[in-house]
Amino acid sequence: MKYIGKPIKRKIDPRLIRGDGRYIADLNIPGTLCAAFLRSPHAHARILGIDLEQARKLPGVVAVFGPDDGTDFDSLPVLFPHPKLVPVTQRPLDSIVHHVGEPVAMVVALNRYIAEDAIELIKVDYEPLRAVAQLDDAIKFDAPLAHQHLESNVAAHFQQSVGDAKAAMKEAPVVVHHRFKIGRVSCLPIETRGLLAKWDYNGAEPALEVFAATQSQHEMRSILAKLLKVSETNVRVIAPDVGGAFGAKAIFYVEDFLVSWAARMVKAPVRWIEDRMEHMMSSIHEREQYHEASLGVTNDGKILSVMDKMLANNGAYVPWGIIVPIMTSTLIPGPYKVPNYFCDATVLYTNTVPLAPFRGAGRPQAALILNRLLDQAAEKLGIDPVEIRRRNLIQEDEFPYRTGLMSRDGKPQIYDSGNYAKVLSEAVEISKYTEWRKRQQEYRKQGRYIGIGVASAIENTGFGSFEGATVRIEITGDITVLTSAATQGQGHETTFAQVAAEVFDVPVEKVNVREGDTGLVTYGTGTFASRMGVLVGTAIYKASQAVKDKAKAIAAAKLNCALELLEMKDGYVFMVDEPSKRISLGELAHEARGLFPGTTFPYHITPGLEVTDYFAPEAASVTGMTDIAVVEIDPNSCAIKILDYTSVHDNGKLLNPLIVKGQVQGGISNGIGTALYEEIVYDRQGQLLTSTLMDYLVPSSCEIPDMKIGHVETPSPLNPLGMKGAGESGTIPVPAVIQSAVEDALREWNIKVENIPVKPAQLRELLRHKKQVTASGIR
Amino acid sequence: MNVKGEVIVDANQIDVWNALNDPEVLKKATPGCKVLNEIAPDSYKAEIVLGIAAVRGEYEAEINIFEKSEPNRYRLVMKADSNMGFLEGNAVVELDYNHPNTTIRYDGEAQVGGLIAGVGQRILSGIAKMIVKDFFKKIAKETKSRSVS
């Protein structure tokens, strides 16, 4: 391959680095008004009365909307319904609020300053209702109800089962247990959410144009059309440059509806830019789950049975169904052979920000469970943690591998391909694992506490249902690629150009990729679940092949020769035997659109060197990964330092190893945030205690270690280029590997590290408790 | 968060009790209190301006006294709203006379909501404790100055 697989630098970077990016806040549309939202200070309350008059009187205020304006609004649509789910979705400007930060009223004014001043003039009379925020409370039988109309806080209760886990556990010679308390995090893109909505009343029918910081312009179009009761043809959603998303911008929020609706009411463009505090209290969170898990193994460490009881917080609503806990429950076995498995999952409503997929989407939680149980089993059996993993991995010759579980799409879960043992071996080698184990002993003699953690995991990537692409040869000879994707920093403009460049054999510079606009490609789904490379990449590949065939058909007619005698390279179609007989792509594009008006079209192809194609994969392509981390813990302060970090991934055939490396580094940094620093905290009454970056700790470059990153490439049989997703896999093994390393470093004290994030204060408490117990003679 | 403490006043129990029920004293003792009106027996409305870090702002407060058992104890329920969020307090105040001093003991819960709950959370419990302590210290001071005059 000439272009695919090459570490080509990102085409988009020079423009963004120069500050020439164009984000929602940069758009300059004359007459645009600004919106601001009044948000609930209560976690659960009924609005008894609201006085909007003072706000309306403020000079510069154009309109103020409150609950009385929203009585006819529909609730947001239920996405991903599930037979076990009792769905509650958010209703814009509802008279009952269900979490702190929910919009209560909206001001549209000449600018944001006036809008925010007006917000301060709104008086609301709340009747606070009993609220529930934490999992421990929500599960109690007499818990306050997050939604008064429901009988309990249970949003869903479901199970996953393979074999007879209970019976196998009973017979297992060695059984270990571990509990997990996983905290909640914010997605935290650098660019917050934002939206600019503009109606045009001068056409045949009113038409809406929305510029949005979104991952899913087609989904947004479809939901806006439904809620605003207009046809999709009259709604265009454009995602210009989007500064990161990580899941936060895949969701359709009430603000998206309200800004578009308000623009229609005030008959002017309206823009809203979310501020950081709004982001913390209204954009989705993820990760929060509790687990109690058991593992039964043979005396030589072979897995016999895994059982898990999961509690998952879903916040006040289900904007993306219960995808996250479903993902966790189906991926706990991961890369290991688990003959008997049982998972009992309870998903709970609470009066907090809703939880929905954030980079990794339930998989970092899944990776924790079995990896950490294997740590316990290895300790008990005196086997090296790497060795016990090696003994249980699915082998290269066992693919396609059926786990016996159902995937999130309702079909049997099948891993298409992989080579987990090779991934593990490379990680062991690159990390110098054996050497670190020796050094660990030496350091211990010097009073230093070093721990080594290892974790293997998988990711099901490239989910359906489909994505599309239009590929066109311009009369300049340039290639235009239009896709249904949206980019938030993934480097699509480069990787997708590489795919087309490969097919047409032209330099990457000749390929221009455009996306993030419903006007480009009729249908699409969105950028999430590590699926764009696989789906859009394949759609481009297929459409490019078809365009190439059309170009060759015209050339064959023009040069009067058989198709088989022609090849395409560097912008020309030429005869293999006689390369001087050639036609440029530009000329062929010109021919393909008919030379002059009124002439008869001479070729047996559809006019235009352009083809639109879609790719709908039959199943997810499954990636594999192993991380190894070395940490040092200061026994006095319990500060945790990462000394060494290794990550080996099998993301299938790589389109661009440089970009994949960036994704892995970014993913690991995200994972380190989850594992050691970031945590959204609510008090028991549902008050958000971490609404600023002063209280919500995000790792900076100083906390992120140098990483050794390796790749294994096992092509997927599910698409012609053998691709697998790569956007999220970096995050997945990190919490497991860090928790594992920390526990290893403190092995002397025999403490169990159960929390994520792992915080020095918890460790100190665990050590203090252990020392007290030891001192009192109870061992 | 729990707010608990005690202040010893160099005065007899009746004087302290009267001070704790006198709108003028309450106004002087409440930090940042600009206006305090008795709207019904044991029910007050106040305007309070706080100038402390994260809770800086103008608050409209409602103070109600319940479960009165003269001159030994009452329950004080306070609710204050501002654009930054709300403060709520619910505390039992008990007096204990031990010649020549009276001890004021308070034990209750404070709840902070809205924007201020999330801003500077780490310093909030310190601020709450300081405000409450300050309140009872001023009550002590006012009682003393009244009993002297």
Side-chain angles (χ1 to χ4, degrees):
Chain A
M1 297 237 173
K2 201 164 161 187
Y3 299 103
I4 289 178
K6 294 292 177 292
I8 296 169
K9 281 190 181 176
R10 291 163 27 123
K11 290 170 80 174
I12 197 174
D13 286 343
R15 185 169 67 84
L16 296 184
I17 289 165
R18 279 197 304 265
D20 292 337
R22 194 184 55 155
Y23 302 89
I24 303 296
D26 298 323
L27 299 173
N28 190 4
I29 295 174
T32 299
L33 302 173
C34 281
F37 292 95
L38 173 68
R39 295 179 181 275
S40 170
H42 294 280
H44 195 190
R46 182 180 286 110
I47 297 166
L48 299 176
I50 184 163
D51 180 2
L52 307 173
E53 285 317 306
Q54 295 304 313
R56 284 186 175 130
K57 281 183 198 152
L58 189 74
V61 169
V62 176
V64 183
F65 304 109
D68 290 345
D69 300 287
T71 47
D72 293 338
F73 292 161
D74 292 330
S75 294
L76 300 185
V78 178
L79 305 183
F80 306 105
H82 185 277
K84 296 286 174 64
L85 170 65
V86 182
V88 183
T89 55
Q90 202 168 4
R91 214 177 69 78
L93 298 182
D94 199 351
S95 58
I96 299 181
V97 287
H98 294 100
H99 68 78
V100 166
E102 199 165 354
V104 168
M106 177 189 195
V107 173
V108 178
L110 293 181
N111 61 46
R112 181 70 177 250
Y113 304 100
I114 297 171
E116 295 217 359
D117 285 351
I119 288 289
E120 293 203 351
L121 298 173
I122 297 173
K123 293 271 173 285
V124 190
D125 184 10
Y126 293 99
E127 178 199 350
L129 303 171
R130 288 179 75 209
V132 64
Q134 298 177 355
L135 276 174
D136 301 320
D137 291 331
I139 191 68
K140 286 181 189 151
F141 81 97
D142 59 347
L145 290 173
H147 291 279
Q148 286 186 310
H149 71 280
L150 298 183
E151 280 169 21
S152 83
N153 291 320
V154 176
H157 178 214
F158 63 90
Q159 287 154 346
Q160 308 282 1
S161 183
V162 179
D164 188 344
K166 208 172 166 188
M169 192 69 78
K170 241 183 217 162
E171 285 174 14
V174 179
V175 175
V176 291
H177 310 278
H178 202 72
R179 290 191 306 180
F180 301 88
K181 204 173 166 187
I182 305 162
R184 164 196 291 247
V185 300
S186 168
C187 303
L188 221 73
I190 289 179
E191 183 206 23
T192 52
R193 288 189 288 142
L195 196 77
L196 192 160
K198 177 175 156 258
W199 287 84
D200 179 6
Y201 289 98
N202 297 329
E205 293 141 23
L208 171 66
E209 202 166 71
V210 171
F211 296 87
T214 177
Q215 295 170 241
S216 305
Q217 67 275 3
H218 288 87
E219 279 297 305
M220 181 178 269
R221 177 186 62 180
S222 139
I223 297 172
L224 279 174
K226 193 175 170 203
L227 294 176
L228 294 162
K229 299 176 177 64
V230 290
S231 106
E232 279 195 41
T233 308
N234 290 324
V235 181
R236 180 177 173 195
V237 179
I238 300 161
D241 287 322
V242 176
F246 313 109
K249 296 170 182 171
I251 307 300
F252 186 93
Y253 295 88
V254 289
E255 292 92 341
D256 300 334
F257 163 75
L258 287 169
V259 170
S260 306
W261 171 80
R264 182 159 74 182
M265 297 301 285
V266 301
K267 293 198 160 41
V270 176
R271 169 167 34 206
W272 166 68
I273 302 292
E274 181 188 60
D275 70 24
R276 185 59 63 188
M277 286 178 84
E278 288 183 292
H279 184 79
M280 304 303 272
M281 63 172 70
S282 68
S283 285
I284 56 127
H285 298 156
E286 215 237 278
R287 302 288 193 253
E288 187 175 356
Q289 291 177 358
Y290 290 178
H291 291 261
E292 278 189 39
S294 308
L295 164 69
V297 292
T298 62
N299 284 319
D300 57 356
K302 281 267 173 67
I303 297 170
L304 293 171
S305 179
V306 175
M307 292 182 81
D308 179 63
K309 196 171 160 54
M310 177 198 331
L311 286 186
N313 195 338
N314 218 91
Y317 305 104
V318 284
W320 256 50
I322 45 170
I323 288 293
V324 172
I326 288 177
M327 204 76 99
T328 305
S329 68
T330 53
L331 289 176
I332 287 174
Y336 304 109
K337 280 183 271 189
V338 179
N340 299 285
Y341 171 63
F342 183 76
C343 175
D344 179 277
T346 306
V347 188
L348 294 158
Y349 284 120
T350 58
N351 297 110
T352 60
V353 166
L355 283 83
F358 160 56
R359 196 179 197 176
R363 302 178 188 90
Q365 297 94 314
L368 257 174
I369 313 300
L370 189 44
N371 277 296
R372 297 287 290 119
L373 285 167
L374 285 170
D375 283 343
Q376 313 304 319
E379 162 90 10
K380 209 163 180 177
L381 293 168
I383 304 177
D384 185 276
V386 166
E387 182 52 31
I388 197 167
R389 282 166 173 77
R390 205 191 304 275
R391 287 181 195 175
N392 286 290
L393 288 174
I394 297 162
Q395 295 303 302
E396 196 189 355
D397 58 5
E398 291 175 288
F399 293 95
Y401 183 85
R402 282 175 179 265
T403 61
L405 290 166
M406 297 306 253
S407 180
R408 76 173 226 198
D409 59 6
K411 286 196 196 161
Q413 188 183 43
I414 301 171
Y415 301 170
D416 61 312
S417 60
N419 193 344
Y420 305 144
K422 190 175 176 197
V423 172
L424 176 66
S425 299
E426 296 227 343
V428 166
E429 193 177 314
I430 296 174
S431 65
K432 301 198 167 73
Y433 176 81
T434 324
E435 208 173 294
W436 272 112
R437 281 282 175 219
K438 281 182 204 143
R439 270 199 249 170
Q440 186 180 26
Q441 302 298 328
E442 290 159 22
Y443 281 139
R444 191 65 41 98
K445 284 176 203 151
Q446 301 163 17
R448 289 178 66 183
Y449 292 87
I450 309 291
I452 306 164
V454 54
S456 291
I458 61 161
E459 184 190 1
N460 38 1
T461 73
F463 279 104
S465 36
F466 68 88
E467 292 296 341
T470 297
V471 175
R472 179 190 301 150
I473 298 178
E474 305 284 349
I475 52 173
T476 56
D478 287 352
I479 313 289
T480 297
V481 174
L482 314 175
T483 91
S484 57
T487 182
Q488 306 91 43
Q490 293 89 345
H492 291 168
E493 74 298 325
T494 309
T495 45
F496 293 161
Q498 286 174 259
V499 175
E502 188 70 44
V503 176
F504 295 112
D505 201 349
V506 295
V508 170
E509 294 70 37
K510 297 285 276 181
V511 185
N512 298 305
V513 178
R514 287 179 60 199
E515 52 189 11
D517 183 349
T518 56
L520 298 175
V521 172
T522 315
Y523 299 107
T525 319
T527 301
F528 58 90
S530 303
R531 55 195 286 286
M532 282 295 134
V534 177
L535 275 79
V536 176
T538 305
I540 294 169
Y541 183 72
K542 288 168 64 191
S544 300
Q545 296 280 13
V547 172
K548 185 176 176 180
D549 289 346
K550 283 175 82 171
K552 281 167 79 175
I554 297 173
K558 288 287 281 181
L559 297 171
N560 199 18
C561 72
L563 267 177
E564 305 77 66
L565 300 176
L566 294 173
E567 267 188 16
M568 184 184 281
K569 196 183 173 183
D570 293 333
Y572 289 93
V573 175
F574 58 93
M575 287 178 69
V576 182
D577 298 350
E578 217 177 324
S580 62
K581 286 202 169 169
R582 60 178 200 174
I583 306 180
S584 75
L585 293 185
E587 206 176 322
L588 289 168
H590 197 60
E591 288 283 340
R593 50 204 275 174
L595 280 180
F596 302 106
T599 51
T600 302
F601 190 68
Y603 305 111
H604 299 289
I605 56 162
T606 50
L609 274 190
E610 176 187 290
V611 169
T612 298
D613 206 346
Y614 291 88
F615 178 60
E618 57 185 278
S621 41
V622 178
T623 68
M625 62 214 79
T626 295
D627 282 15
I628 294 178
V630 184
V631 304
E632 175 164 15
I633 298 178
D634 179 325
N636 295 315
S637 68
C638 289
I640 304 159
K641 192 178 173 202
I642 301 174
L643 298 183
D644 201 67
Y645 202 97
T646 302
S647 186
V648 176
H649 287 243
D650 181 352
N651 298 107
K653 176 71 194 155
L654 303 183
L655 291 179
N656 182 328
L658 190 63
I659 284 178
V660 173
K661 190 179 177 190
Q663 285 283 16
V664 172
Q665 280 175 334
I668 293 171
S669 308
N670 250 173
I672 288 174
T674 303
L676 288 172
Y677 303 103
E678 299 177 41
E679 190 173 19
I680 291 276
V681 182
Y682 281 97
D683 72 8
R684 293 184 66 195
Q685 284 76 34
Q687 285 298 329
L688 176 61
L689 305 183
T690 49
S691 57
T692 73
L693 296 182
M694 247 168 66
D695 302 280
Y696 183 85
L697 189 57
V698 189
S700 70
S701 56
C702 302
E703 283 78 37
I704 302 301
D706 285 340
M707 304 163 196
K708 297 173 201 154
I709 293 170
H711 291 290
V712 169
E713 292 188 54
T714 309
S716 170
L718 300 174
N719 62 77
L721 292 174
M723 294 180 285
K724 298 180 178 185
E728 297 170 89
S729 59
T731 61
I732 294 170
V734 189
V737 84
I738 295 289
Q739 204 187 54
S740 172
V742 168
E743 194 171 282
D744 186 47
L746 301 175
R747 195 163 296 277
E748 209 163 280
W749 282 278
N750 192 29
I751 58 166
K752 294 279 165 263
V753 183
E754 299 173 338
N755 287 50
I756 289 292
V758 184
K759 298 246 178 189
Q762 298 156 8
L763 296 181
R764 256 186 81 86
E765 192 51 34
L766 285 170
L767 291 180
R768 195 183 60 81
H769 182 73
K770 203 77 192 182
K771 282 171 191 163
Q772 268 178 4
V773 172
T774 314
S776 67
I778 313 160
R779 292 202 68 127
Chain B
M1 75 193 84
N2 185 262
V3 182
K4 196 175 171 178
E6 59 176 49
V7 174
I8 296 168
V9 193
D10 177 15
N12 72 53
Q13 189 171 349
I14 299 295
D15 285 346
V16 176
W17 178 262
N18 287 338
L20 277 170
N21 285 280
D22 181 340
E24 269 310 302
V25 177
L26 289 176
K27 185 183 163 188
K28 283 186 183 157
T30 306
C33 185
K34 300 296 170 213
V35 181
L36 186 129
N37 294 316
E38 188 168 5
I39 48 171
D42 297 331
S43 184
Y44 307 93
K45 269 211 158 139
E47 286 173 27
I48 297 168
V49 178
L50 289 181
I52 313 165
V55 294
R56 184 187 301 271
E58 290 173 28
Y59 292 82
E60 282 176 21
E62 243 184 74
I63 300 162
N64 288 290
I65 290 169
F66 301 105
E67 301 166 22
K68 218 164 167 176
S69 161
E70 189 176 350
N72 298 319
R73 74 188 288 281
Y74 67 47
R75 177 179 294 278
L76 188 127
V77 177
M78 194 272 294
K79 209 175 158 261
D81 278 308
S82 87
N83 294 325
M84 290 289 285
F86 62 84
L87 306 168
E88 280 175 13
N90 185 333
V92 170
V93 181
E94 274 180 318
L95 303 185
D96 187 4
Y97 184 62
N98 197 346
H99 182 79
N101 298 323
T102 303
T103 304
I104 307 174
R105 285 200 187 89
Y106 53 92
D107 185 355
E109 285 290 325
Q111 168 77 21
V112 183
L115 284 184
I116 44 179
V119 178
Q121 179 62 27
R122 283 163 295 170
I123 52 174
L124 217 52
S125 72
I127 293 175
K129 281 175 187 151
M130 190 181 96
I131 291 173
V132 175
K133 186 96 189 166
D134 197 35
F135 172 78
F136 286 106
K137 269 187 174 164
K138 280 187 179 151
I139 291 274
K141 194 179 140 203
E142 288 298 319
T143 312
K144 237 181 98 182
S145 66
R146 275 156 48 115
S147 26
V148 171
S149 61

